[in-house]
C-alpha cells in the first residue's frame, strides 16, 4: 500500500511539468482512493487488535484460575494422609493349629507409611475416614491340616480363606477387601482354631493395606 502510494505520488510529481490538468486530477483522485483504503485497513486492524487483546486477557484470566487450582491440588495432595503398609509374618516354620483364635502379628515390616500398622500387635488403626484396601496371602505346608486366615474389622469377620492340605507342599490362599473405615476402626488378621500358617525367610505369608482415598 505504502509503495503504491509512493509510486502514485512519484507519478503525480512527474506529471507536473507539461501534463494536462485532467491527468493531474486523476492522479490526485487515485492517491485519495489509496489513502482511504489505508485508513479503512487501519480501522479494521485496530478492531482485530482489540479482539486479540480481549482474547489475550481472557486467556490470562483463565491461566490464573488454572494456576490457583493447581496450587490448591498440590497443597491438598501434600496435606493428604499417606497410609500404606506391607508386612510379612516373620516366623520360620509353623504356627497353629491352636485351640483359640489368635491375632496374627505380621512383624517383618516391609513398608509402614504413616505407622498405622502396629507390627507388635498386628493391628491396623485407621487414621482418617476413608476407603481402604487390604489383602493377604497365607502359606501352609502341614499335611492333613487346614491353612488359612480371616480378615477382621472391629472384631467382626469380614473375609476368610482356607484350604485343606493333602500333602506337604507349599499351598497358598489369599483374599482381600475394600473397606470403608471410620477414624479409629481396627483391622487385623486372625488365625482361627484348627488352622495353621507357615512362613520362611522367603516372606511367604503377608498382610498389606493402603488408603485408596479419604472421605
Ligand atoms: C493324611 O491323611 C491320610 C488320609 O486320611 C492318611 O492316609 C495319611 O496317613 C495322613 N498323613 C499324615 C502324615 O498324617
Ligand atoms: C524378606 O523381608 C526382608 C525384609 O524384612 C528382606 O530383607 C528380605 O530380602 C526378604 N526376603 C525375600 C526372599 O524376599
Amino acid at each position: 500500500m505504502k509503495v503504491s502510494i509512493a509510486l502514485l505520488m512519484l507519478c503525480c510529481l512527474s506529471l507536473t511539468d507539461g501534463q494536462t490538468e485532467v491527468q493531474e486530477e486523476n492522479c490526485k483522485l487515485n492517491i485519495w482512493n489509496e489513502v482511504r483504503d489505508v485508513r479503512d485497513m487501519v480501522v479494521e486492524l485496530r478492531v482485530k487488535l482489540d479482539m486479540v487483546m480481549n482474547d489475550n486477557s481472557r486467556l490470562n484470566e483463565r491461566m490464573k484460575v488454572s494456576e490457583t487450582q493447581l496450587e490448591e491440588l498440590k497443597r491438598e495432595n501434600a496435606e493428604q494422609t499417606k497410609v500404606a503398609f506391607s508386612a510379612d509374618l516373620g516366623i520360620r516354620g509353623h504356627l497353629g493349629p491352636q485351640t483359640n483364635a489368635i491375632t496374627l502379628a505380621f512383624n517383618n515390616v516391609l513398608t509402614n507409611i504413616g505407622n498405622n500398622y502396629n507390627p507388635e500387635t498386628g493391628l491396623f488403626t485407621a487414621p482418617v475416614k476413608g476407603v481402604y484396601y487390604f489383602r493377604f496371602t497365607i502359606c501352609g505346608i502341614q499335611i492333613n491340616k487346614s491353612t488359612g486366615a480371616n480378615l477382621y474389622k472391629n472384631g467382626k469377620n469380614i473375609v476368610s480363606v482356607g484350604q485343606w492340605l493333602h500333602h506337604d507342599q507349599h499351598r497358598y490362599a489369599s483374599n482381600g477387601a475394600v473397606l470403608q473405615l471410620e477414624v479409629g476402626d481396627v483391622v487385623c488378621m486372625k488365625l482361627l482354631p484348627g488352622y495353621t500358617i507357615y512362613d520362611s525367610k522367603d516372606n511367604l505369608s503377608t498382610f498389606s493395606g493402603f488408603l485408596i482415598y479419604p472421605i
Side-chain angles (χ1 to χ4, degrees):
M1 201 58 87
K2 266 183 189 164
V3 176
S4 56
I5 292 175
L7 281 174
L8 273 168
M9 288 179 94
L10 247 170
C11 156
C12 285
L13 284 175
S14 64
L15 276 172
T16 48
D17 36 276
Q19 302 293 330
T20 68
E21 276 191 10
V22 177
Q23 277 171 317
E24 208 177 318
E25 278 309 309
N26 271 346
C27 186
K28 278 179 184 164
L29 207 64
N30 282 342
I31 289 177
W32 284 120
N33 282 343
E34 286 291 333
V35 168
R36 201 192 51 229
D37 284 353
V38 169
R39 187 203 57 201
D40 289 352
M41 202 174 71
V42 167
V43 169
E44 202 177 306
L45 284 177
R46 204 174 277 162
V47 170
K48 280 187 181 158
L49 184 64
D50 277 353
M51 277 161 57
V52 167
M53 282 172 79
N54 270 341
D55 278 355
N56 196 33
S57 73
R58 239 174 297 150
L59 281 176
N60 268 336
E61 281 306 309
R62 280 169 60 180
M63 208 171 78
K64 266 184 216 153
V65 171
S66 300
E67 276 171 359
T68 312
Q69 283 171 342
L70 184 68
E71 284 309 311
E72 267 171 34
L73 283 176
K74 273 189 193 165
R75 210 183 47 239
E76 271 173 29
N77 188 45
E79 282 169 4
Q80 193 194 308
T81 317
K82 307 277 196 295
V83 186
F85 75 91
S86 262
D88 162 63
L89 192 58
I91 61 167
R92 301 283 178 264
H94 315 282
L95 188 60
Q98 337 216 92
T99 47
N100 297 316
I102 55 162
T103 298
L104 292 168
F106 293 78
N107 59 37
N108 177 19
V109 169
L110 309 177
T111 312
N112 196 3
I113 293 159
N115 272 311
N116 305 108
Y117 172 73
N118 183 337
E120 308 295 321
T121 60
L123 306 180
F124 170 83
T125 308
V128 291
K129 180 177 179 169
V131 177
Y132 294 75
Y133 178 67
F134 298 91
R135 55 101 61 215
F136 53 92
T137 296
I138 304 302
C139 181
I141 59 165
Q142 274 180 283
I143 190 163
N144 290 349
K145 294 276 187 306
S146 288
T147 192
N150 295 32
L151 180 78
Y152 276 70
K153 171 187 162 186
N154 296 337
K156 187 174 169 289
N157 191 189
I158 305 293
V159 293
S160 328
V161 76
Q163 66 167 304
W164 178 254
L165 304 169
H166 291 289
H167 42 67
D168 60 357
Q169 289 169 7
H170 292 64
R171 281 288 174 268
Y172 295 89
S174 64
N175 207 337
V178 171
L179 298 179
Q180 187 175 319
L181 302 181
E182 301 294 326
V183 177
D185 277 354
V186 173
V187 173
C188 69
M189 295 298 307
K190 286 191 183 194
L191 188 68
L192 294 195
Y195 282 82
T196 72
I197 186 169
Y198 172 79
D199 201 10
S200 75
K201 62 176 175 36
D202 293 329
N203 309 332
L204 306 171
S205 293
T206 61
F207 177 38
S208 302
F210 56 85
L211 172 65
I212 303 175
Y213 58 85
I215 45 177

